[in-house]
Amino acid sequence: MSEVVMRATEVHKSFGRLEVLKGVSLEVKKGETICLIGPSGSGKTTFIRCINHLEKIDSGRIEVNGHLIGYRERSGKLVEDSERNIARHRTQIGMVFQRFNLFPHMTALENVIEAPMRVQGTSKAHATDYARALLSRVGLGDKLDTYPGKLSGGQQQRVAIARALAMGPALMLFDEPTSALDPEVTGEVLSVMEELAHAGITMIVVTHEMGFARKAADRVVMMDDGMIIEDGTPEHFFVAPEHERTRQFLSKIL
Amino acid sequence: MHVLVAVDWHVIWLRIFHPDHVFARALWATVFMSVVSQAAGVGLGLVAALMRMSRFAPLRWLSGAYVWVFRGTPLLVQIFFIYTTFNLPIVNLGVWKVPSEILTGIVALSVNEGAYMREIIRAGIDSIDRGQMEAAKSLGMRYGQAMRRIILPQAARVIVPPLGNEFNNMMKTTSLVYTVGAYELFADAEQKYSQTFISDYFIAVAFWYLVLTTAWTFIQVLIERRLARSERGDQLSYRELLLMAWNPMTTLGRGAWRR
């Protein structure tokens, strides 16, 4: 129980002169759902992109399932890992993007079976069976052969969730999964995510959806100016936030 | 009208409807050179485009130098340089012995074409949203795999229309190889002319180039239609695509119908 899936320690990251992460540390336990909130520019998105090494970090360390991500220790120093290892570690980390990033030249089903087949070497039959199950789970059992261009934003995002789940990741990262969606379809994506949270999938969700955070999160983490300033249960968070900055932020968006 | 009356229609009739085997060989040489050079040019262009995007600076420089030299010098000079510098062998393909002059042409045209294709392929790859590579990587794909499975198939849609123009050009440009003694379509016409001083052989050969380029237009439409299928979810009709293939303006504005 309570085994740590993701551990970030003192992560620093700058884009040129702009320091976006100023020593971020966070632990996520198996089965937890973390909602990462904060004003834009606070470094939330950059931080979760660092977790699967889509962004390099300047210092600190990030471990997922006990594996150092993106780097290798060589005589006490961290050096960037080989492409092969980085790719292997990424299979453990699912990611859902703001802009879905489905592969437009593949059907929904093909999107979902692509990585299991090409990366994990799963047989087409197995990958297809599992993909069908996943697509039904996200409510798209009838859209298997549809191309992304013919799906609504909400449907595309649900395919993207199924695609990430197909790899059987230990950790799911959601980068503002509903910000690019029309209000009327955010609900269908959020309810899928809620279902995943209850099913015990370990997730880190960057979001502005406070309703979702309240309902589904085990912990809410507030970032501001490249630092985590508050970390607690939703009750704590929405009822009695400690930090003045958190109160300001919440009063603005609630 | 005066010109048309002066035309010896009989000569043209013969060249079009009763081609002899020497002519057939010339036609084959033109088609062979075009296809092989274009294919090799695409290959070279792809390699150069990937080098251009490499993290390793010397590869980028090499790619830059390649394009700089081969786009910056006349093809005719390149053909003569290769012809006079390298003594290329006759290649026996079993069914056909490729003459050394044809091989010279293929090498020159390929290398020259590769320089142009690099830009076309790079623009195609650049046009694909960065998120596609990120999504592929986040699923554990490696760079090469992501390129092959995710990026290039999408880039192909952007690359094919200008590639079609390149190939159209290629079929006509092969005539330059005549200058180093390759027996291809233009050489055939030129030889007939120098034997008879009947200039109508050039009209006949123009007709044959038109046959080739027109046939290609139709093939290109079929290819584009296949590629357009998935992303749009609907298909353009053959007629629409034919109109586009023939109208040079739509090639420039290609981006517009992709979206």
Side-chain angles (χ1 to χ4, degrees):
Chain A
M1 206 51 224
S2 79
E3 126 203 18
V4 174
V5 173
M6 197 286 300
R7 176 182 286 128
T9 320
E10 280 298 306
V11 174
H12 286 263
K13 161 90 191 165
S14 301
F15 289 118
R17 287 195 176 178
L18 183 69
E19 197 178 15
V20 277
L21 299 178
K22 302 174 177 171
V24 176
S25 299
L26 184 69
E27 258 183 31
V28 180
K29 296 196 180 73
K30 194 172 166 135
E32 268 190 319
T33 297
I34 309 287
C35 279
L36 197 53
I37 65 168
S40 54
S42 59
K44 337 178 270 301
T45 289
T46 305
F47 177 57
I48 70 161
R49 285 167 59 83
C50 288
I51 296 175
N52 69 355
H53 200 61
L54 284 180
E55 302 288 355
K56 293 177 190 178
I57 60 176
D58 300 333
S59 66
R61 54 193 293 149
I62 295 174
E63 287 164 66
V64 172
N65 263 359
H67 297 291
L68 192 57
I69 298 299
Y71 298 86
R72 200 167 27 176
E73 265 172 319
R74 192 189 284 161
S75 56
K77 276 192 169 175
L78 294 186
V79 288
E80 189 161 28
D81 211 344
S82 67
E83 198 214 353
R84 176 195 293 268
N85 283 336
I86 294 172
R88 210 183 56 218
H89 291 146
R90 280 188 184 128
T91 61
Q92 289 293 299
I93 309 168
M95 183 148 195
V96 175
F97 298 86
Q98 188 176 350
R99 305 275 333 161
F100 331 132
N101 296 349
L102 288 182
F103 306 136
H105 58 305
M106 298 180 180
T107 63
L109 183 71
E110 285 165 352
N111 264 277
V112 180
I113 64 175
E114 176 70 12
M117 282 174 60
R118 305 285 160 181
V119 177
Q120 291 173 324
T122 312
S123 75
K124 185 164 187 180
H126 275 113
T128 306
D129 282 348
Y130 192 39
R132 279 176 198 277
L134 284 171
L135 285 167
S136 310
R137 187 173 174 187
V138 300
L140 293 171
D142 57 337
K143 300 284 187 193
L144 300 180
D145 299 321
T146 310
Y147 284 97
K150 286 281 176 182
L151 295 172
S152 72
Q155 291 170 329
Q156 288 192 52
Q157 194 59 298
R158 286 184 283 151
V159 173
I161 292 172
R163 179 177 71 176
L165 287 173
M167 296 296 281
L171 173 68
M172 285 281 286
L173 306 173
F174 292 82
D175 181 11
E176 306 200 21
T178 57
S179 337
L181 295 175
D182 293 335
E184 61 263 38
V185 296
T186 56
E188 67 193 42
V189 172
L190 290 175
S191 68
V192 165
M193 289 168 57
E194 249 182 86
E195 191 261 321
L196 297 179
H198 291 160
I201 305 265
T202 313
M203 330 200 299
I204 302 178
V205 185
V206 172
T207 188
H208 294 289
E209 296 286 339
M210 294 303 139
F212 173 79
R214 205 189 291 257
K215 266 191 284 182
D218 296 298
R219 276 158 59 203
V220 180
V221 174
M222 165 88 184
M223 277 185 79
D224 187 37
D225 194 25
M227 285 176 290
I228 289 178
I229 58 168
E230 194 143 359
D231 179 348
T233 62
E235 295 77 29
H236 159 84
F237 216 89
F238 293 108
V239 180
E242 282 164 27
H243 213 282
E244 177 55 31
R245 193 72 190 83
T246 312
R247 263 177 297 217
Q248 279 174 8
F249 177 69
L250 290 175
S251 73
K252 241 182 244 162
I253 62 168
L254 285 179
Chain B
M1 288 319 287
H2 185 258
V3 176
L4 285 182
V5 173
V7 165
D8 185 342
W9 291 102
H10 183 64
V11 165
I12 294 171
W13 177 269
L14 280 181
R15 295 309 283 166
I16 293 172
F17 294 104
H18 300 281
D20 54 23
H21 73 278
V22 182
F23 172 83
R25 217 185 59 194
L27 179 65
W28 167 245
T30 291
V31 172
F32 183 82
M33 264 198 293
S34 311
V35 172
V36 174
S37 305
Q38 188 65 48
V42 169
L44 283 171
L46 180 60
V47 170
L50 293 174
M51 280 166 64
R52 171 71 178 66
M53 295 184 294
S54 166
R55 272 200 246 176
F56 186 55
L59 284 182
R60 294 201 299 272
W61 299 334
L62 195 61
S63 176
Y66 167 55
V67 172
W68 181 59
V69 169
F70 284 93
R71 282 205 319 191
T73 55
L75 176 56
L76 195 54
V77 174
Q78 294 164 22
I79 292 172
F80 268 81
F81 176 77
I82 289 168
Y83 182 67
T84 52
T85 311
F86 306 101
N87 206 352
L88 292 174
I90 297 168
V91 178
N92 195 341
L93 291 182
V95 279
W96 186 45
K97 287 201 181 80
V98 183
S100 149
E101 302 81 36
I102 301 275
L103 188 62
T104 300
I106 288 173
V107 170
L109 291 166
S110 302
V111 174
N112 182 268
E113 181 59 21
Y116 287 91
M117 281 312 298
R118 184 199 82 161
E119 288 307 289
I120 291 171
I121 291 172
R122 190 171 67 95
I125 292 173
D126 279 350
S127 75
I128 305 304
D129 187 76
R130 227 165 51 104
Q132 291 290 313
M133 180 55 96
E134 290 186 348
K137 282 185 170 176
S138 79
L139 289 165
M141 288 193 177
R142 297 178 61 179
Y143 179 81
Q145 205 174 20
M147 264 295 158
R148 222 169 36 246
R149 298 283 313 168
I150 308 300
I151 308 299
L152 290 177
Q154 294 181 61
R157 251 188 290 272
V158 187
I159 292 169
V160 162
L163 170 65
N165 286 346
E166 287 296 304
F167 186 61
N168 178 301
N169 250 322
M170 176 65 82
M171 287 189 287
K172 297 171 295 184
T173 308
T174 49
S175 56
L176 284 181
V177 187
Y178 139 81
T179 55
V180 293
Y183 200 81
E184 43 68 68
L185 271 185
F186 181 73
D188 182 71
E190 206 282 331
Q191 193 170 70
K192 287 285 182 306
Y193 169 75
S194 57
Q195 286 161 3
T196 59
F197 293 103
I198 300 172
S199 58
D200 306 272
Y201 283 110
F202 293 121
I203 296 180
V205 80
F207 167 84
W208 281 102
Y209 280 111
L210 266 176
V211 168
L212 292 180
T213 52
T214 307
W216 170 245
T217 303
F218 281 94
I219 295 168
Q220 193 186 345
V221 163
L222 292 179
I223 296 172
E224 283 182 31
R225 193 173 149 89
R226 262 197 86 84
L227 285 171
R229 190 178 291 165
S230 44
E231 188 168 16
R232 292 169 43 102
D234 59 329
Q235 296 193 358
L236 293 169
S237 71
Y238 291 103
R239 208 181 127 265
E240 280 175 291
L241 278 168
L242 261 180
L243 286 174
M244 281 201 254
W246 264 315
N247 180 353
M249 287 314 289
T250 51
T251 307
L252 297 174
R254 218 35 95 133
W257 71 267
R258 262 190 75 249
R259 311 257 155 223

